[in-house]
């Protein structure tokens, strides 16, 4: 992500939350859970709906005419909402509970004063739903917590811009709302840069000698940029089309992108790995967990089988593609069996490289309010097992390169005199004795040895070539 990150959300002025609970103990319990979920977003309980920023009617369907009672309560709320709007401050009205479940969108049709309807199965999505209402009104989402340091940075490039390899932001923000993640709150809604802007930047980089560009975005494969001026009006461009277009720019030999979400995979992007030689055979596609139960609790919006299917299709398009990912262990509720499902998925995928993390409770995210938080010692033990397996896979992947000849983009002098350091198409670091004049060019290197973190090789002929 660009260094000029969006400013951190300042701690907000306190917001007032009024919840009216109808019916049974279950609803009383649910109302408390909703209050807990919303507290980190700056909401404090209010005794009355007057002047409240958020009003939730947690309804009950058990008695006759329950829905009618809700509609008449909404009628009473209408003037309060109008009065608040007149003072320049919106009131958000939500209907939750069994009436919401039973009547669904009908409520909003009959009572437009309602901003959102949320059924009992989806309370964990309340922060996400409220965020979309606020965005719909053009308001930013303010959160009480500091901008994420660690994971926000992890979502940012690991490598710094070097002379011949550059990062280009094409997309920012995220609408996915994985329940462990702060990015949708700190970085805001998903947004794509227009194609013309990206092209201009990549052309300028190519003119400065850049040979490789990595297209960046928190949800880069959700890219849907405004088409170039003069393009027949056929809607926005996806990432596959952008990649093919950038490949036409003279001087650009290699294209990569990161980070993608399984839900945003499309056939065109997969096909680009088969038919666009400048698109490097390396794909960072986080899955986070291998258990469908945990994926659901994470609000990942895909199953393990769907993820594996994408990997299979990518391998069909480009058999040598290196797969990379992100994993979280110890998400709330993760059992030993769930963790074993993660291990099984990793065994099936065979990652070339993969980041792995212990779940860390981020205030303000739905995951933080979930029951079944996993003990630190259990998380550490699972992480160690996972990392041992991932380490073996990375080592095996690197070892499989020995004896092969790979085109290496030399980027800088190596650690030892006379050595250069570069990258293979699979993003492996490659060290090789070579003249400094080859920096900024791509040359064939025969790989002679491999370790977990790097390859060492011999220059084939000293000639530079295209990828
Ligand atoms: N706990 C652990 N890992 C996290 N990530 C994001 N949020 C959390 C969290 N709360 C990891 C995910 C993501 C990567 C950038 O950081 O794996 O893909
Ligand atoms: Fe966070 Fe999920 Fe969006 Fe990635 S896709 S930035 S993990 S919310």
């Amino acid at each position: 992500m660009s260094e000029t990150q969006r400013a951190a959300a300042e701690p907000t002025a306190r917001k007032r939350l009024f919840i009216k609970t109808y019916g049974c103990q279950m609803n009383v319990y649910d109302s408390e859970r909703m209050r807990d979920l919303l507290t980190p977003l700056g909401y404090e309980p209010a005794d009355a709906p007057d002047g409240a920023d958020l009003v939730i009617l947690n309804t009950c369907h058990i008695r006759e005419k329950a829905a009618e009672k809700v509609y008449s309560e909404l009628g009473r709320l209408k003037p309060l909402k109008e009065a608040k709007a007149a003072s320049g401050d919106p009131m958000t009205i939500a209907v939750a509970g069994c009436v919401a479940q039973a009547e669904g969108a009908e409520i909003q049709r009959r009572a437009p004063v309602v901003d959102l309807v949320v059924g009992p199965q989806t309370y964990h999505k309340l922060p996400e739903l409220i965020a979309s209402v606020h965005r719909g009104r053009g308001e930013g989402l303010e959160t009480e917590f500091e901008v994420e340091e660690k994971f926000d940075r992890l979502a940012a490039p690991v490598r710094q811009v070097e002379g011949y390899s550059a990062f280009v932001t094409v997309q920012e923000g995220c609408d996915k709302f994985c329940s462990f993640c702060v990015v949708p709150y700190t970085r805001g809604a998903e947004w794509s840069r227009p194609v013309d802007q990206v092209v201009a930047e990549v052309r300028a980089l190519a003119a400065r000698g850049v040979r490789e560009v990595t297209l960046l975005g928190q949800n880069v494969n959700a890219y849907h940029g405004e088409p170039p001026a003069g393009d027949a009006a056929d809607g926005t461009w996806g990432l596959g089309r952008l990649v093919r277009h950038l490949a036409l720019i003279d001087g650009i030999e290699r294209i990569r992108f990161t980070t993608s979400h399984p839900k945003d995979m499309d056939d065109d992007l997969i096909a680009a790995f088969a038919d666009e030689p400048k698109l490097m055979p390396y794909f960072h596609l986080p899955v986070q967990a291998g258990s469908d139960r945990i994926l659901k609790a994470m609000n990942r919006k895909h199953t393990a089988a769907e993820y594996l299917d994408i990997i299979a299709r990518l391998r069909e398009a480009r058999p040598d593609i290196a797969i990379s990912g992100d994993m979280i262990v110890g998400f709330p509720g993760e059992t030993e069996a769930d963790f074993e499902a993660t291990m099984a998925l990793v065994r099936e995928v065979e990652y070339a490289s993969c980041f792995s993390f212990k779940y860390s409770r981020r205030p303000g995210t739905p995951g933080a309010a979930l029951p079944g938080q996993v003990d630190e010692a259990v998380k550490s033990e699972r992480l160690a097992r996972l990392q041992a397996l991932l380490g073996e896979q990375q080592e095996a992947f690197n070892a499989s390169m020995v004896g092969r000849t790979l085109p290496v983009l030399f980027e800088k002098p190596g650690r030892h005199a006379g050595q250069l350091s570069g990258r293979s198409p699979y993003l492996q670091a490659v060290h090789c004795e070579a003249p400094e004049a080859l920096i900024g060019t791509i040359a064939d290197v025969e790989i002679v040895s491999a370790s977990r973190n790097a390859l060492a090789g011999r220059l084939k002929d000293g000639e530079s070539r295209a990828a």
Side-chain angles (χ1 to χ4, degrees), residues 3-10 141 146-147 152 185-188:
E3 288 307 307
T4 48
Q5 298 189 338
R6 232 172 268 167
E10 292 295 324
L141 182 85
E146 297 286 306
V147 71
D152 223 22
Y185 307 101
T186 56
R187 296 296 186 87

Side-chain angles (χ1 to χ4, degrees), residues 389-424:
L389 176 60
L390 290 170
E392 278 167 29
Q393 293 190 342
Q394 184 164 327
E395 207 166 310
F397 181 75
N398 287 352
S400 73
M401 302 289 148
V402 175
R404 282 182 60 185
T405 295
L406 301 177
V408 171
L409 170 57
F410 287 116
E411 289 171 344
K412 57 184 179 194
R415 240 177 279 142
H416 306 295
Q419 228 189 25
L420 296 186
S421 152
R423 295 270 165 185
S424 77

Side-chain angles (χ1 to χ4, degrees), residues 116-268:
L116 68 99
V117 178
V118 50
Q121 305 313 319
T122 42
Y123 290 155
H124 61 286
K125 290 193 181 164
L126 255 182
E128 169 177 356
L129 294 168
I130 290 166
S132 13
V133 168
H134 287 194
R135 284 174 189 164
R137 287 200 293 243
E139 297 163 38
L141 182 85
E142 293 171 60
T143 61
E144 207 201 0
F145 49 90
E146 297 286 306
V147 71
E148 176 52 34
E149 333 79 43
K150 181 171 163 202
F151 300 111
D152 223 22
R153 264 197 270 121
L154 280 168
V158 190
R159 292 191 294 151
Q160 291 305 305
V161 176
E162 282 159 7
Y164 302 95
S165 176
F167 294 99
V168 177
T169 299
V170 301
Q171 181 276 331
E172 274 195 73
C174 180
D175 290 336
K176 292 291 184 298
F177 288 90
C178 298
S179 60
F180 52 81
C181 184
V182 295
V183 167
Y185 307 101
T186 56
R187 296 296 186 87
E190 206 254 293
W191 169 87
S192 297
R193 269 176 95 189
V195 174
D196 275 340
Q197 264 186 32
V198 177
V199 169
E201 187 170 333
V202 174
R203 278 216 183 101
L205 288 167
R208 278 175 25 205
V210 165
R211 296 286 160 259
E212 175 182 88
V213 285
T214 302
L215 310 178
L216 292 180
Q218 250 109 21
N219 239 226
V220 73
N221 63 334
Y223 180 82
H224 55 279
E226 190 187 302
D231 186 63
D234 60 352
T236 56
W237 281 24
L239 188 62
R241 194 159 179 192
L242 179 70
V243 163
R244 288 191 177 89
H245 193 63
L246 296 176
L248 301 174
I249 296 176
D250 273 350
I252 296 300
E253 305 293 353
R254 292 180 162 192
I255 300 174
R256 306 178 183 276
F257 56 83
T258 195
T259 291
S260 300
H261 189 287
K263 199 71 197 161
D264 293 315
M265 279 316 293
D266 66 27
D267 292 343
D268 186 48

Side-chain angles (χ1 to χ4, degrees), residues 448-459:
V448 294
S449 69
S451 69
R452 189 167 282 195
N453 296 316
L455 306 177
R458 203 167 24 229
L459 199 60

